[in-house]
Amino acid sequence: MGLITWIKAVWNKLFRKEIEERFQADIQLSSVMESAINKYYNITAGKPPWLDPDDDIESINFAGYINDVTAGLVTLDLGISIDGGERAEYLQKQADYVLAVITDNVSEALGNCGIMFKPNGNNVDYIEPGNFAPTETDSNGNILGCVFQSQIDRGNWRYTRLEWHRFEDTILEDGAEGKVYRITNYAYKARAGRMATNQLSIGDPCKLTEVREWANIEPDISLLNVEIPLFAYFKNPAPNRIDRTSPLGVPVWHNALKELKDLDIAWSRKSGEVEDSKHMTFVAQAVLENPMTHEKVNLPRFVQGLEMGVDADSTIHEHVSTLLTDQRIKDINSILAMISTKCGFSQGMFVLDEKTGMMTATQVEADDQETIRTIKNIRDALQDTITQLLYGCNVMADLYSNTPPELWETLKEGISFSFGDITYNYQEDMANWWKYRIQGDVPPWLYYVKFEKMSEDEARAMIEEAQPKEDTLFNKFQEE
């Protein structure tokens, strides 16, 4: 276990201990899932458990590549439009804030056990597994209660804030039973760097006002008429077979761990074979010494001495390694095909191009039903997550913004999502539109606007200037 991993494990224990003691809450995060979170994080970081320097096994971090490719397809041309009044404009700003980094966050979520989107009153916080702990779920596995951890280092102090969201039973003003949504915040401070095994807590309690960023946060609030949690959890929509009782998700490649290991081994063997393929000339060791001084002679790197096993009739031997390139590529493509399948993609989604030697994600075709279905399922989950996030932003706006409140049902009707076609091919589309332009099916200026990034005025002016002038009597008179 590396130092950083060890420190994180110690801190997680302190995090768990403080939650259980301070909030008297049960954490729905098993040791199995805690271990899986660390393992998945290391795999995505290019440090899988099968690395073996002694056996020359390195990692090409293909898991991270899968995360990025999948996230790119999921968020392709993603757009969110919110129509309405001032509150809708406020929510549009929150949506734009999220869209600016949505691909990166989706990639992180798909490469681990999901990610939390939580409004903070100004914008949105993104919280990775290990920094939040579910405390309550429903029968569908939706997280209803959760404790979030955030930290700020300032000077010689490390400040930690624990923020607990949950629903609680209460008696309403009319005497009827109901529920309130309660948010409780506690702050702590400890000497920075005190991550020793004998540290028994995350620090001493302190006021939220000691940290500038937390000064306006209420220590404890209860909200009525809140229907769903004011946070949104996004995860890969696949069953968690690591811990079937956990509400957390698993990476998009969780079924292909063995194949990812096999791929790293196969690629390492291929790299080692290439590295060892340099031409070598072996000569008898006696030839390598100066007969006058008996000192060793400096030789080029492709000449080596050989004392044992030299043929008596010859003192020079040539060695040229055999590269098993075709066999290696077939083996790697076989592994890639299984990875594609186990990740929910169509066969051949990932392939090693024999001409370029590069592993690439192929263009998604209209008949790649497995890939299309997987991307659609993830898009649906992402859309639900962002919708729930906007609900939370709307509630938080009642507390922290000056915009007039609006009913969520009205705002929700004005929210629309748009996703790009993952089977879209830019070059084919451009060729088709050029054909339409030549045939006269579309005005020429429209082609230039769509594919040459011109404005309509620029395109129209260019076309008009390119038109031949009519041969009029006035033109002839000017020429004469």
PDB file of all heavy atoms in Angstrom, residues 158-176:
ATOM      1  N   ARG A 158      -5.739  22.293   9.023  1.00  0.00           N
ATOM      2  CA  ARG A 158      -6.630  21.632   8.062  1.00  0.00           C
ATOM      3  C   ARG A 158      -8.032  21.665   8.644  1.00  0.00           C
ATOM      4  O   ARG A 158      -8.294  21.115   9.725  1.00  0.00           O
ATOM      5  CB  ARG A 158      -6.200  20.191   7.810  1.00  0.00           C
ATOM      6  CG  ARG A 158      -7.262  19.366   7.073  1.00  0.00           C
ATOM      7  CD  ARG A 158      -6.736  18.045   6.581  1.00  0.00           C
ATOM      8  NE  ARG A 158      -5.784  18.243   5.486  1.00  0.00           N
ATOM      9  CZ  ARG A 158      -5.168  17.245   4.874  1.00  0.00           C
ATOM     10  NH1 ARG A 158      -5.377  15.995   5.255  1.00  0.00           N
ATOM     11  NH2 ARG A 158      -4.331  17.492   3.885  1.00  0.00           N
ATOM     12  N   TYR A 159      -8.941  22.314   7.899  1.00  0.00           N
ATOM     13  CA  TYR A 159     -10.324  22.436   8.328  1.00  0.00           C
ATOM     14  C   TYR A 159     -11.172  21.401   7.589  1.00  0.00           C
ATOM     15  O   TYR A 159     -11.033  21.221   6.379  1.00  0.00           O
ATOM     16  CB  TYR A 159     -10.848  23.836   8.048  1.00  0.00           C
ATOM     17  CG  TYR A 159     -10.173  24.916   8.875  1.00  0.00           C
ATOM     18  CD1 TYR A 159      -9.021  25.547   8.415  1.00  0.00           C
ATOM     19  CD2 TYR A 159     -10.709  25.287  10.110  1.00  0.00           C
ATOM     20  CE1 TYR A 159      -8.402  26.533   9.177  1.00  0.00           C
ATOM     21  CE2 TYR A 159     -10.100  26.276  10.871  1.00  0.00           C
ATOM     22  CZ  TYR A 159      -8.941  26.888  10.407  1.00  0.00           C
ATOM     23  OH  TYR A 159      -8.334  27.858  11.163  1.00  0.00           O
ATOM     24  N   THR A 160     -12.043  20.772   8.335  1.00  0.00           N
ATOM     25  CA  THR A 160     -12.934  19.746   7.767  1.00  0.00           C
ATOM     26  C   THR A 160     -14.371  20.097   8.106  1.00  0.00           C
ATOM     27  O   THR A 160     -14.674  20.479   9.245  1.00  0.00           O
ATOM     28  CB  THR A 160     -12.611  18.353   8.338  1.00  0.00           C
ATOM     29  OG1 THR A 160     -11.250  18.018   8.045  1.00  0.00           O
ATOM     30  CG2 THR A 160     -13.525  17.295   7.736  1.00  0.00           C
ATOM     31  N   ARG A 161     -15.228  19.988   7.104  1.00  0.00           N
ATOM     32  CA  ARG A 161     -16.663  20.232   7.334  1.00  0.00           C
ATOM     33  C   ARG A 161     -17.447  18.974   6.984  1.00  0.00           C
ATOM     34  O   ARG A 161     -17.249  18.376   5.920  1.00  0.00           O
ATOM     35  CB  ARG A 161     -17.154  21.404   6.485  1.00  0.00           C
ATOM     36  CG  ARG A 161     -18.653  21.698   6.669  1.00  0.00           C
ATOM     37  CD  ARG A 161     -19.025  23.050   6.061  1.00  0.00           C
ATOM     38  NE  ARG A 161     -18.806  23.075   4.623  1.00  0.00           N
ATOM     39  CZ  ARG A 161     -19.730  22.790   3.717  1.00  0.00           C
ATOM     40  NH1 ARG A 161     -20.949  22.436   4.098  1.00  0.00           N
ATOM     41  NH2 ARG A 161     -19.447  22.867   2.433  1.00  0.00           N
ATOM     42  N   LEU A 162     -18.318  18.580   7.901  1.00  0.00           N
ATOM     43  CA  LEU A 162     -19.230  17.460   7.670  1.00  0.00           C
ATOM     44  C   LEU A 162     -20.636  18.019   7.509  1.00  0.00           C
ATOM     45  O   LEU A 162     -21.120  18.766   8.371  1.00  0.00           O
ATOM     46  CB  LEU A 162     -19.189  16.464   8.832  1.00  0.00           C
ATOM     47  CG  LEU A 162     -17.833  15.815   9.127  1.00  0.00           C
ATOM     48  CD1 LEU A 162     -17.971  14.797  10.246  1.00  0.00           C
ATOM     49  CD2 LEU A 162     -17.242  15.165   7.879  1.00  0.00           C
ATOM     50  N   GLU A 163     -21.269  17.698   6.403  1.00  0.00           N
ATOM     51  CA  GLU A 163     -22.599  18.215   6.079  1.00  0.00           C
ATOM     52  C   GLU A 163     -23.547  17.042   5.890  1.00  0.00           C
ATOM     53  O   GLU A 163     -23.396  16.236   4.968  1.00  0.00           O
ATOM     54  CB  GLU A 163     -22.525  19.059   4.796  1.00  0.00           C
ATOM     55  CG  GLU A 163     -23.841  19.661   4.366  1.00  0.00           C
ATOM     56  CD  GLU A 163     -23.697  20.514   3.114  1.00  0.00           C
ATOM     57  OE1 GLU A 163     -22.545  20.902   2.798  1.00  0.00           O
ATOM     58  OE2 GLU A 163     -24.712  20.775   2.445  1.00  0.00           O
ATOM     59  N   TRP A 164     -24.532  16.949   6.773  1.00  0.00           N
ATOM     60  CA  TRP A 164     -25.444  15.796   6.782  1.00  0.00           C
ATOM     61  C   TRP A 164     -26.805  16.219   6.239  1.00  0.00           C
ATOM     62  O   TRP A 164     -27.471  17.094   6.800  1.00  0.00           O
ATOM     63  CB  TRP A 164     -25.576  15.240   8.194  1.00  0.00           C
ATOM     64  CG  TRP A 164     -26.378  13.957   8.275  1.00  0.00           C
ATOM     65  CD1 TRP A 164     -26.640  13.090   7.256  1.00  0.00           C
ATOM     66  CD2 TRP A 164     -27.001  13.416   9.438  1.00  0.00           C
ATOM     67  NE1 TRP A 164     -27.378  12.030   7.697  1.00  0.00           N
ATOM     68  CE2 TRP A 164     -27.619  12.195   9.043  1.00  0.00           C
ATOM     69  CE3 TRP A 164     -27.094  13.816  10.763  1.00  0.00           C
ATOM     70  CZ2 TRP A 164     -28.328  11.397   9.941  1.00  0.00           C
ATOM     71  CZ3 TRP A 164     -27.794  13.007  11.668  1.00  0.00           C
ATOM     72  CH2 TRP A 164     -28.404  11.815  11.258  1.00  0.00           C
ATOM     73  N   HIS A 165     -27.226  15.560   5.160  1.00  0.00           N
ATOM     74  CA  HIS A 165     -28.546  15.760   4.561  1.00  0.00           C
ATOM     75  C   HIS A 165     -29.412  14.547   4.886  1.00  0.00           C
ATOM     76  O   HIS A 165     -28.978  13.405   4.700  1.00  0.00           O
ATOM     77  CB  HIS A 165     -28.446  15.896   3.040  1.00  0.00           C
ATOM     78  CG  HIS A 165     -27.798  17.157   2.575  1.00  0.00           C
ATOM     79  ND1 HIS A 165     -28.397  18.017   1.677  1.00  0.00           N
ATOM     80  CD2 HIS A 165     -26.603  17.724   2.880  1.00  0.00           C
ATOM     81  CE1 HIS A 165     -27.600  19.037   1.438  1.00  0.00           C
ATOM     82  NE2 HIS A 165     -26.494  18.880   2.155  1.00  0.00           N
ATOM     83  N   ARG A 166     -30.658  14.787   5.322  1.00  0.00           N
ATOM     84  CA  ARG A 166     -31.579  13.665   5.585  1.00  0.00           C
ATOM     85  C   ARG A 166     -32.994  14.188   5.751  1.00  0.00           C
ATOM     86  O   ARG A 166     -33.221  15.377   5.972  1.00  0.00           O
ATOM     87  CB  ARG A 166     -31.176  12.860   6.817  1.00  0.00           C
ATOM     88  CG  ARG A 166     -31.463  13.504   8.174  1.00  0.00           C
ATOM     89  CD  ARG A 166     -30.415  14.494   8.560  1.00  0.00           C
ATOM     90  NE  ARG A 166     -30.510  14.916   9.959  1.00  0.00           N
ATOM     91  CZ  ARG A 166     -29.853  15.948  10.454  1.00  0.00           C
ATOM     92  NH1 ARG A 166     -29.077  16.695   9.682  1.00  0.00           N
ATOM     93  NH2 ARG A 166     -29.982  16.272  11.730  1.00  0.00           N
ATOM     94  N   PHE A 167     -33.960  13.281   5.628  1.00  0.00           N
ATOM     95  CA  PHE A 167     -35.354  13.574   5.917  1.00  0.00           C
ATOM     96  C   PHE A 167     -35.643  13.139   7.359  1.00  0.00           C
ATOM     97  O   PHE A 167     -35.164  12.098   7.808  1.00  0.00           O
ATOM     98  CB  PHE A 167     -36.283  12.829   4.960  1.00  0.00           C
ATOM     99  CG  PHE A 167     -36.284  13.379   3.563  1.00  0.00           C
ATOM    100  CD1 PHE A 167     -35.502  12.813   2.572  1.00  0.00           C
ATOM    101  CD2 PHE A 167     -37.086  14.472   3.239  1.00  0.00           C
ATOM    102  CE1 PHE A 167     -35.499  13.310   1.290  1.00  0.00           C
ATOM    103  CE2 PHE A 167     -37.093  14.984   1.957  1.00  0.00           C
ATOM    104  CZ  PHE A 167     -36.307  14.407   0.982  1.00  0.00           C
ATOM    105  N   GLU A 168     -36.448  13.933   8.072  1.00  0.00           N
ATOM    106  CA  GLU A 168     -36.830  13.596   9.447  1.00  0.00           C
ATOM    107  C   GLU A 168     -38.326  13.770   9.619  1.00  0.00           C
ATOM    108  O   GLU A 168     -38.944  14.672   9.022  1.00  0.00           O
ATOM    109  CB  GLU A 168     -36.095  14.486  10.460  1.00  0.00           C
ATOM    110  CG  GLU A 168     -34.614  14.179  10.591  1.00  0.00           C
ATOM    111  CD  GLU A 168     -33.963  14.996  11.698  1.00  0.00           C
ATOM    112  OE1 GLU A 168     -34.615  15.941  12.207  1.00  0.00           O
ATOM    113  OE2 GLU A 168     -32.810  14.688  12.057  1.00  0.00           O
ATOM    114  N   ASP A 169     -38.908  12.895  10.446  1.00  0.00           N
ATOM    115  CA  ASP A 169     -40.328  13.016  10.770  1.00  0.00           C
ATOM    116  C   ASP A 169     -40.530  14.223  11.689  1.00  0.00           C
ATOM    117  O   ASP A 169     -39.691  14.548  12.533  1.00  0.00           O
ATOM    118  CB  ASP A 169     -40.821  11.758  11.472  1.00  0.00           C
ATOM    119  CG  ASP A 169     -40.776  10.534  10.560  1.00  0.00           C
ATOM    120  OD1 ASP A 169     -40.991  10.709   9.346  1.00  0.00           O
ATOM    121  OD2 ASP A 169     -40.502   9.427  11.059  1.00  0.00           O
ATOM    122  N   THR A 170     -41.673  14.899  11.527  1.00  0.00           N
ATOM    123  CA  THR A 170     -41.971  16.067  12.351  1.00  0.00           C
ATOM    124  C   THR A 170     -43.475  16.246  12.449  1.00  0.00           C
ATOM    125  O   THR A 170     -44.250  15.590  11.727  1.00  0.00           O
ATOM    126  CB  THR A 170     -41.328  17.336  11.750  1.00  0.00           C
ATOM    127  OG1 THR A 170     -41.460  18.407  12.686  1.00  0.00           O
ATOM    128  CG2 THR A 170     -41.986  17.716  10.442  1.00  0.00           C
ATOM    129  N   ILE A 171     -43.874  17.139  13.326  1.00  0.00           N
ATOM    130  CA  ILE A 171     -45.280  17.510  13.464  1.00  0.00           C
ATOM    131  C   ILE A 171     -45.452  18.891  12.842  1.00  0.00           C
ATOM    132  O   ILE A 171     -44.794  19.858  13.250  1.00  0.00           O
ATOM    133  CB  ILE A 171     -45.729  17.534  14.937  1.00  0.00           C
ATOM    134  CG1 ILE A 171     -45.499  16.152  15.579  1.00  0.00           C
ATOM    135  CG2 ILE A 171     -47.194  17.934  15.029  1.00  0.00           C
ATOM    136  CD1 ILE A 171     -46.299  15.028  14.944  1.00  0.00           C
ATOM    137  N   LEU A 172     -46.305  18.995  11.853  1.00  0.00           N
ATOM    138  CA  LEU A 172     -46.515  20.252  11.152  1.00  0.00           C
ATOM    139  C   LEU A 172     -47.383  21.198  11.976  1.00  0.00           C
ATOM    140  O   LEU A 172     -47.915  20.819  13.031  1.00  0.00           O
ATOM    141  CB  LEU A 172     -47.172  19.982   9.793  1.00  0.00           C
ATOM    142  CG  LEU A 172     -46.402  19.012   8.867  1.00  0.00           C
ATOM    143  CD1 LEU A 172     -47.195  18.771   7.596  1.00  0.00           C
ATOM    144  CD2 LEU A 172     -45.021  19.561   8.559  1.00  0.00           C
ATOM    145  N   GLU A 173     -47.516  22.437  11.530  1.00  0.00           N
ATOM    146  CA  GLU A 173     -48.258  23.459  12.265  1.00  0.00           C
ATOM    147  C   GLU A 173     -49.719  23.082  12.457  1.00  0.00           C
ATOM    148  O   GLU A 173     -50.346  23.450  13.450  1.00  0.00           O
ATOM    149  CB  GLU A 173     -48.169  24.800  11.538  1.00  0.00           C
ATOM    150  CG  GLU A 173     -46.766  25.405  11.549  1.00  0.00           C
ATOM    151  CD  GLU A 173     -46.721  26.744  10.856  1.00  0.00           C
ATOM    152  OE1 GLU A 173     -47.777  27.161  10.296  1.00  0.00           O
ATOM    153  OE2 GLU A 173     -45.652  27.386  10.863  1.00  0.00           O
ATOM    154  N   ASP A 174     -50.300  22.334  11.505  1.00  0.00           N
ATOM    155  CA  ASP A 174     -51.699  21.937  11.639  1.00  0.00           C
ATOM    156  C   ASP A 174     -51.871  20.688  12.486  1.00  0.00           C
ATOM    157  O   ASP A 174     -52.973  20.156  12.609  1.00  0.00           O
ATOM    158  CB  ASP A 174     -52.319  21.727  10.260  1.00  0.00           C
ATOM    159  CG  ASP A 174     -51.584  20.660   9.449  1.00  0.00           C
ATOM    160  OD1 ASP A 174     -50.616  20.068   9.975  1.00  0.00           O
ATOM    161  OD2 ASP A 174     -51.963  20.434   8.285  1.00  0.00           O
ATOM    162  N   GLY A 175     -50.750  20.209  13.077  1.00  0.00           N
ATOM    163  CA  GLY A 175     -50.811  19.037  13.939  1.00  0.00           C
ATOM    164  C   GLY A 175     -50.645  17.716  13.222  1.00  0.00           C
ATOM    165  O   GLY A 175     -50.561  16.660  13.859  1.00  0.00           O
ATOM    166  N   ALA A 176     -50.575  17.768  11.893  1.00  0.00           N
ATOM    167  CA  ALA A 176     -50.424  16.525  11.128  1.00  0.00           C
ATOM    168  C   ALA A 176     -48.962  16.091  11.099  1.00  0.00           C
ATOM    169  O   ALA A 176     -48.048  16.902  11.281  1.00  0.00           O
ATOM    170  CB  ALA A 176     -50.940  16.726   9.709  1.00  0.00           C
TER     171      ALA A 176
END
